[in-house]
Amino acid sequence: MFTLKGSLLCVERVFKANLAQERMISFCLMHRNTHRFNTFQTVSKLPQKRLNSITFPLIDMERYLDSNVSKTNFRIFDPRFDDISFAEQFFTPSSNHFIHYYTSAVRMEHAPSVAKPEVCFIGRSNVGKSSLIKALFSLVPGLEVRVSKNPGHTKKINFFKAGKTFTLVDLPGYGYKAPTDFVEMVEDYLKTRHNLKRTFLLLDGSIGIQKADQIAIDMCEEFGIPYVLVVTKIDRPQRGNLLKNILDIQQIIEKQTKGCFPQPFLVSSLNYSGIHLLRCFIAHVTGNLQKNKA
Ligand SMILES: Nc1nc2c(ncn2[C@@H]2O[C@H](COP(=O)(O)OP(=O)(O)OP(=O)(O)O)[C@@H](O)[C@H]2O)c(=O)[nH]1
Ligand SMILES: [Mg+2]
């Protein structure tokens, strides 16, 4: 029998189904479109403005900043497109360049002794460490890097080898739901890893710097290791919020750090902004970019 309540329910169901369908379509479109941007070749064919904003997201922010804000640290690492394109080969598998998950360790005595240069990724749980490694290695078919919306997902130190060139290391996050032996595990790693060329300390661009991040910065300073701040998830916040968070981070770099690279790196693992520049920087700090100049 026809009732008003029944027909309203019916309309509501149709509306919800349409909404779900729309969301699914936009999710698919987003992934189809952004996935294309994982190669620099595709990005380099974009119109100039879009090319620059995906490749150099920090420089792209300049136009929104007051003229009295110092931008001197925005272009310290400022490679040519040619270098960015060259660096991509280290993240692309080939018959003589095997990229793969190597092993995991919960304590340093289980860590592999790798002579090649190494870089690692640290940061609060859920900041996007694993997602970033996944984006960097997105040209490797079948390489599994596990990410999760639940904090505390990565419990071990995970080693990924890029042929004979370098190793990337994914570490468990600190803060909420961190493994109980986190401090021992990560501190030991940072203190004793002789081949560690650079530590990438990730900060969530949509949240800004937190107390736990400040503690991690202090730890890197105390250990005297060279490190870089990477601002993640830049696709998420509104531009005003992102700018404020970046300026706060720049202040901290200028006023409180000695071992930190003066230029922060901005990335989105979702739309690949900043990923190509970061690939190039990793090639540089591991001594592989120099081969282009030789
Ligand atoms: N929008 C957006 N979401 C992201 C980005 N990077 C990561 N995320 C999301 O953030 C959540 C956490 O990502 P993970 O990469 O697992 O974070 P993690 O730092 O490895 O976390 P732990 O292993 O728990 O320490 C997931 O839901 C991701 O999809 C990004 O660039 N943009
Ligand atoms: Mg993780």
Side-chain angles (χ1 to χ4, degrees):
M1 200 178 80
F2 173 84
T3 62
L4 182 61
K5 198 176 163 197
S7 57
L8 281 177
L9 269 176
C10 199
V11 170
E12 196 185 343
R13 265 190 221 124
V14 171
F15 178 73
K16 278 186 178 161
N18 284 345
L19 198 68
Q21 199 179 7
E22 260 175 42
R23 282 194 182 138
M24 179 58 82
I25 290 169
S26 63
F27 178 85
C28 293
L29 279 176
M30 190 168 76
H31 281 263
R32 200 188 65 194
N33 288 336
T34 55
H35 194 65
R36 287 190 292 130
F37 296 156
N38 67 359
T39 68
F40 188 62
Q41 203 193 13
T42 324
V43 174
S44 63
K45 287 182 188 140
L46 291 170
Q48 193 70 30
K49 214 170 138 201
R50 187 98 171 93
L51 162 66
N52 284 336
S53 77
I54 292 193
T55 314
F56 302 111
L58 183 61
I59 294 176
D60 192 52
M61 289 277 162
E62 279 184 355
R63 58 200 162 112
Y64 304 108
L65 291 172
D66 274 2
S67 52
N68 60 348
V69 174
S70 163
K71 293 143 196 136
T72 44
N73 291 340
F74 280 34
R75 295 165 191 262
I76 295 177
F77 181 68
D78 190 19
R80 296 167 302 161
F81 284 145
D82 167 43
D83 289 324
I84 296 177
S85 183
F86 176 81
E88 195 163 279
Q89 68 180 291
F90 304 110
F91 295 84
T92 311
S94 68
S95 55
N96 55 8
H97 187 63
F98 183 40
I99 301 175
H100 62 116
Y101 159 76
Y102 183 46
T103 187
S104 298
V106 281
R107 281 201 298 277
M108 278 315 283
E109 53 263 42
H110 301 150
S113 53
V114 181
K116 295 291 165 200
E118 197 158 284
V119 295
C120 74
F121 295 80
I122 63 169
R124 281 186 306 111
S125 320
N126 218 239
V127 72
K129 301 174 293 296
S130 303
S131 302
L132 179 56
I133 294 183
K134 197 179 168 118
L136 290 167
F137 281 147
S138 56
L139 301 171
V140 187
L143 181 78
E144 198 186 355
V145 186
R146 292 206 190 126
V147 306
S148 166
K149 62 180 176 357
N150 300 319
H153 190 72
T154 307
K155 304 276 186 212
K156 296 177 178 176
I157 307 177
N158 298 317
F159 296 81
F160 297 88
K161 260 188 176 182
K164 296 190 175 93
T165 51
F166 56 81
T167 308
L168 282 189
V169 181
D170 188 13
L171 288 151
Y174 43 81
Y176 182 67
K177 281 202 174 168
T180 43
D181 45 1
F182 165 83
V183 176
E184 203 184 323
M185 201 192 298
V186 176
E187 286 195 5
D188 265 10
Y189 171 84
L190 295 176
K191 277 194 215 161
T192 60
R193 202 70 178 162
H194 298 299
N195 55 330
L196 182 61
K197 295 294 174 203
R198 205 62 60 120
T199 295
F200 291 91
L201 169 48
L202 275 53
L203 307 169
D204 190 324
S206 59
I207 301 177
I209 204 142
Q210 304 284 292
K211 198 165 173 215
D213 301 320
Q214 185 66 62
I215 293 170
I217 291 174
D218 294 344
M219 174 182 73
C220 292
E221 288 289 319
E222 189 191 319
F223 294 172
I225 51 174
Y227 66 103
V228 186
L229 299 184
V230 177
V231 182
T232 62
K233 307 188 190 181
I234 62 164
D235 56 278
R236 251 193 201 170
Q238 293 198 330
R239 189 171 292 125
N241 273 347
L242 181 61
L243 277 172
K244 185 194 167 298
N245 292 339
I246 292 166
L247 291 177
D248 287 349
I249 289 167
Q250 280 230 294
Q251 286 285 307
I252 287 176
I253 296 178
E254 271 174 39
K255 298 208 166 111
Q256 299 178 19
T257 68
K258 287 199 174 78
C260 184
F261 191 68
Q263 174 184 334
F265 284 76
L266 271 53
V267 293
S268 165
S269 303
L270 201 70
N271 66 22
Y272 290 92
S273 297
I275 296 295
H276 308 281
L277 184 65
L278 195 61
R279 281 182 184 149
C280 189
F281 188 67
I282 292 172
H284 168 64
V285 296
T286 55
N288 290 294
L289 194 61
Q290 290 71 346
K291 291 172 194 164
N292 198 23
K293 313 243 154 65

